[in-house]
Amino acid sequence: AQSVTQPDIHITVSEGASLELRCNYSYGATPYLFWYVQSPGQGLQLLLKYFSGDTLVQGIKGFEAEFKRSQSSFNLRKPSVHWSDAAEYFCAVGAPHAGNNRKLIWGLGTSLAVNP
Amino acid sequence: NAGVTQTPKFQVLKTGQSMTLQCAQDMNHEYMSWYRQDPGMGLRLIHYSVGAGITDQGEVPNGYNVSRSTTEDFPLRLLSAAPSQTSVYFCASSWTGVDEKLFFGSGTQLSVL
């Protein structure tokens, strides 16, 4: 069965420090991969997505993610965190080989706190 | 463009009451969906639609109805509210499906007493 795991429920970093949020998935082929961010009291916003091609994907707000097939991972990174990055981050997986573009599988999220 | 608009932002219901959560988008998206978000459970898909007149169930459809009479609107109906339906509800839309960017509304916080 397809699944998405975000191992870290909560992470705290200092402003200016680097960030890596982990995402692992279980799927028989290469899925669509997404990172969404949710600021407090808001809906979700797409940061970046991977479908195929270059395994290093650039997104908005200075974020990037790297797809590693051998590790079934799609970790999100940012070189220098800003206080405004404090939010909830969700990894999600779609299943193109099943011809299914109607449902995503969502991770439970990682809550990021940023210390000044 | 307003994007995805959800109303109301907050609602308190008594057990057994019915209500409709409104969702409208002005981007001519074919795909629309409803999620609920609960602490520790992430996002769970309730219902979705791939176009006017077409709806289907998600992971947690029980207790909810939807219809899609126009491209723009996708209301979610709670037939007889239960405390287990206390949650934050999000509407999301995209051009054709989840393989594209989903645009989310700002949510409706619902409490059922």
Side-chain angles (χ1 to χ4, degrees):
Chain A
Q2 301 156 25
S3 65
V4 177
T5 302
Q6 294 181 245
D8 304 303
I9 296 173
H10 186 85
I11 286 181
T12 301
V13 300
S14 297
E15 191 168 17
S18 63
L19 172 70
E20 183 170 32
L21 302 181
R22 296 182 292 164
C23 174
N24 295 99
Y25 67 90
S26 173
Y27 182 61
T30 301
Y32 299 144
L33 296 157
F34 304 84
W35 276 100
Y36 280 84
V37 61
Q38 183 181 29
S39 298
Q42 300 297 315
L44 282 72
Q45 180 184 20
L46 179 67
L47 283 175
L48 48 77
K49 63 182 182 182
Y50 173 79
F51 282 6
S52 64
D54 192 346
T55 56
L56 186 61
V57 180
Q58 301 297 320
I60 63 171
K61 304 185 179 187
F63 286 92
E64 65 178 27
E66 185 172 13
F67 168 60
K68 293 186 176 179
R69 185 192 308 274
S70 61
Q71 300 177 17
S72 296
S73 69
F74 189 56
N75 294 349
L76 183 71
R77 301 194 295 247
K78 187 169 186 178
S80 177
V81 171
H82 188 263
W83 63 267
S84 60
D85 293 324
E88 188 90 14
Y89 292 79
F90 292 92
C91 181
V93 169
H97 296 279
N100 179 8
N101 71 337
R102 302 179 178 191
K103 302 179 184 180
L104 288 175
I105 302 168
W106 294 87
L108 296 184
T110 297
S111 177
L112 174 67
V114 180
N115 286 334
Chain B
N1 284 346
V4 178
T5 302
Q6 287 184 239
T7 56
K9 291 189 180 298
F10 303 94
Q11 184 69 51
V12 179
L13 292 177
K14 295 181 179 179
T15 297
Q17 286 184 317
S18 63
M19 79 158 296
T20 299
L21 279 62
Q22 301 292 344
C23 176
Q25 52 88 11
D26 60 359
M27 297 172 282
N28 205 31
H29 286 170
E30 292 295 326
Y31 179 89
M32 296 186 73
S33 56
W34 277 102
Y35 288 91
R36 59 178 290 173
Q37 184 177 33
D38 302 289
M41 303 193 74
L43 286 163
R44 292 183 292 170
L45 182 66
I46 304 171
H47 285 286
Y48 66 94
S49 168
V50 296
I54 306 169
T55 64
D56 206 346
Q57 296 181 349
E59 304 171 62
V60 289
N62 292 342
Y64 307 95
N65 273 0
V66 293
S67 60
R68 184 94 179 270
S69 57
T70 67
T71 299
E72 294 78 20
D73 300 300
F74 191 45
L76 179 71
R77 297 181 185 84
L78 281 69
L79 307 174
S80 177
S84 61
Q85 294 178 304
T86 293
S87 187
V88 180
Y89 291 84
F90 288 99
C91 179
S93 71
S94 72
W95 290 108
T96 59
V98 298
D99 50 343
E100 299 169 339
K101 176 181 176 179
L102 282 171
F103 291 78
F104 281 80
S106 58
T108 295
Q109 187 169 322
L110 176 67
S111 295
V112 182
L113 306 177

